[in-house]
């Protein structure tokens, strides 16, 4: 899977590739390696001179652990500190790539005007040091980066299911806020709902089932539709009142499957070489741990370190 994702990243960065593709979401059971795959993808992109907009977890965007406030206009809410942290991450992962993209035209952020000769690096730096305008900077960054074709872009969000969840925040009337009432979430939603895309690059997310409250039931059902038994009775099958679960999603789903026996063997050898385990790796040991964990990488790790 890792090689498949890296190959797709390289293909998306090819200037001669076809029209922008829709976003992709990596899905699978807890511990299957979704976050690890996304992190490796972000690392490869950063090393390949991409503009990397990577959030290792979007849970803090919605779990009320960070400050928020009503926006000056409209019915959205802002999270200046969270956005500043994200901009710092962008600068750290893609500083050189940001320098290669000029703004192209004057960009007005608050009372500040950045000239056309300035670069995305200047824009991000301004946002990092101007908390009250961090949201404006992020939105300008996304707009400019996604439309240009000079430098490839990777937008990667872990726990991406939080974009459609009910948050732990409340409004002034103590009503619980849906995620789309947060300005930060609103900046990324279009990319995962097919309403925006990157001209050169890729938009990828990874799901998480660790906190069920942040996994909307309808999204979970679409990601994991129940097996349907064909209806033998044609009258019942054609009945419009018989509802079938919808699996239509605005993004491509990439499933992370269980480890193969060969992958489990390689993982156990790695554990031994890095002194995570001292027991010699035998076929019998690998088979035992693989079966116990049902091929799940996290469960395999817990199994081999159970006595530590």
């Amino acid at each position: 899977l890792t090689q498949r994702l890296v190959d797709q990243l390289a293909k998306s960065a090819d200037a001669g590739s076809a029209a922008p593709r829709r976003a992709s979401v990596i899905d699978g059971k807890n511990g299957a390696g979704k976050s690890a795959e996304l992190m490796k993808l972000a690392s490869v992109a950063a090393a390949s001179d991409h503009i990397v907009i990577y959030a290792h977890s979007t849970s803090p965007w919605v779990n009320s652990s960070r400050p928020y406030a009503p926006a000056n206009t409209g019915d959205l809410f802002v999270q200046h500190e969270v956005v500043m942290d994200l901009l710092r991450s962008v600068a750290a992962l893609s500083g050189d790539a940001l320098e290669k993209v000029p703004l192209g035209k004057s960009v007005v952020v608050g009372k500040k005007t950045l000239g056309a000769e300035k670069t995305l690096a200047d824009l991000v730096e301004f946002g990092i040091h101007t908390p009250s305008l961090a949201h404006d900077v992020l939105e300008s960054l996304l707009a400019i980066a996604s439309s240009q074709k000079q430098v490839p872009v990777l937008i990667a969000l872990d726990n991406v299911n939080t974009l459609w969840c009910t948050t732990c925040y409340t409004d002034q009337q103590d009503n619980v806020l849906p995620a789309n009432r947060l300005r930060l979430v609103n900046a990324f939603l279009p990319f995962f709902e097919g309403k925006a895309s990157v001209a050169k690059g890729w938009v990828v997310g990874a799901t998480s089932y660790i906190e069920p409250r942040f996994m909307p039931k309808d999204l979970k059902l679409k990601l994991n539709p129940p097996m349907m038994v064909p209806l033998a009775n044609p009258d019942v099958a054609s009945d419009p009142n018989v509802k079938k679960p919808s699996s239509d999603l605005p993004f491509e789903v990439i499933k992370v499957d269980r480890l193969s026996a060969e992958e489990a063997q390689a993982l156990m050898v790695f554990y031994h070489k890095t002194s995570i385990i001292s027991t010699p790796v035998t076929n019998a040991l690998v088979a035992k741990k693989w079966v116990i964990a049902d091929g799940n990488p996290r469960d395999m790790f817990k199994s081999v370190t159970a006595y530590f």
Side-chain angles (χ1 to χ4, degrees), residues 7-23:
D7 289 345
Q8 181 56 54
L9 179 69
K11 182 180 178 181
S12 69
D14 183 3
S17 60
R21 64 202 303 272
R22 61 179 180 165

Side-chain angles (χ1 to χ4, degrees), residues 182-291:
L182 301 176
R183 189 174 173 183
L184 174 56
V185 168
N186 256 2
F188 288 97
L189 263 179
F191 292 98
F192 288 94
E193 292 188 339
K195 300 173 183 176
S197 62
V198 293
K200 182 178 182 179
W202 198 11
V203 178
V204 192
T207 60
S208 173
Y209 295 85
I210 293 177
E211 296 184 271
R213 59 181 174 165
F214 296 143
M215 171 57 79
K217 291 182 179 180
D218 59 338
L219 177 60
K220 182 178 180 180
L221 185 62
K222 289 181 178 181
L223 288 168
N224 305 281
M227 293 184 65
M228 297 298 295
V229 178
L231 297 173
N233 187 327
D235 293 330
V236 175
S238 61
D239 187 345
N241 295 317
V242 176
K243 295 183 179 180
K244 299 179 181 179
S246 171
S247 58
D248 292 337
L249 289 166
F251 47 76
E252 173 195 13
V253 179
I254 301 174
K255 287 290 185 179
V256 180
D257 203 358
R258 62 203 293 269
L259 292 176
S260 66
E262 293 75 16
E263 290 171 331
Q265 175 85 23
L267 185 62
M268 291 291 287
V269 170
F270 171 76
Y271 287 160
H272 187 265
K273 287 184 177 180
T274 54
S275 300
I276 292 176
I277 59 173
S278 57
T279 308
V281 177
T282 64
N283 290 338
L285 177 64
V286 172
K288 177 182 177 181
K289 298 300 183 183
W290 182 53
V291 171

Side-chain angles (χ1 to χ4, degrees), residues 74-267:
D75 62 349
L76 298 180
F77 287 76
V78 294
Q79 299 162 291
H80 299 307
E81 289 187 9
V82 182
V83 178
M84 286 172 61
D85 286 346
L86 182 58
L87 291 174
R88 290 189 187 100
S89 171
V90 173
L93 290 171
S94 42
D96 291 341
L98 293 171
E99 291 279 3
K100 298 176 182 178
V101 181
L103 299 182
K105 62 180 181 180
S106 296
V107 175
V108 179
V109 186
K111 296 181 180 180
K112 175 75 171 181
T113 299
L114 298 174
E117 75 284 356
K118 296 293 185 179
T119 67
L120 286 180
D122 299 310
L123 178 66
V124 170
E125 190 68 17
F126 176 72
I128 292 172
H129 294 97
T130 316
S132 62
L133 297 174
H135 280 279
D136 297 88
V137 167
L138 175 63
E139 290 162 4
S140 295
L141 168 66
L142 289 171
I144 297 170
S146 64
S147 61
Q148 56 82 40
K149 295 184 178 181
Q150 296 166 267
V151 178
V153 178
L154 175 69
I155 297 175
L157 304 184
D158 205 351
N159 295 25
V160 71
N161 42 281
T162 59
L163 300 186
W164 298 276
C165 78
T166 299
T167 75
C168 296
Y169 291 108
T170 58
D171 63 13
Q172 298 91 324
Q173 288 74 43
D174 209 30
N175 298 311
V176 177
L177 295 176
N180 61 10
R181 292 280 304 279
L182 301 176
R183 189 174 173 183
L184 174 56
V185 168
N186 256 2
F188 288 97
L189 263 179
F191 292 98
F192 288 94
E193 292 188 339
K195 300 173 183 176
S197 62
V198 293
K200 182 178 182 179
W202 198 11
V203 178
V204 192
T207 60
S208 173
Y209 295 85
I210 293 177
E211 296 184 271
R213 59 181 174 165
F214 296 143
M215 171 57 79
K217 291 182 179 180
D218 59 338
L219 177 60
K220 182 178 180 180
L221 185 62
K222 289 181 178 181
L223 288 168
N224 305 281
M227 293 184 65
M228 297 298 295
V229 178
L231 297 173
N233 187 327
D235 293 330
V236 175
S238 61
D239 187 345
N241 295 317
V242 176
K243 295 183 179 180
K244 299 179 181 179
S246 171
S247 58
D248 292 337
L249 289 166
F251 47 76
E252 173 195 13
V253 179
I254 301 174
K255 287 290 185 179
V256 180
D257 203 358
R258 62 203 293 269
L259 292 176
S260 66
E262 293 75 16
E263 290 171 331
Q265 175 85 23
L267 185 62

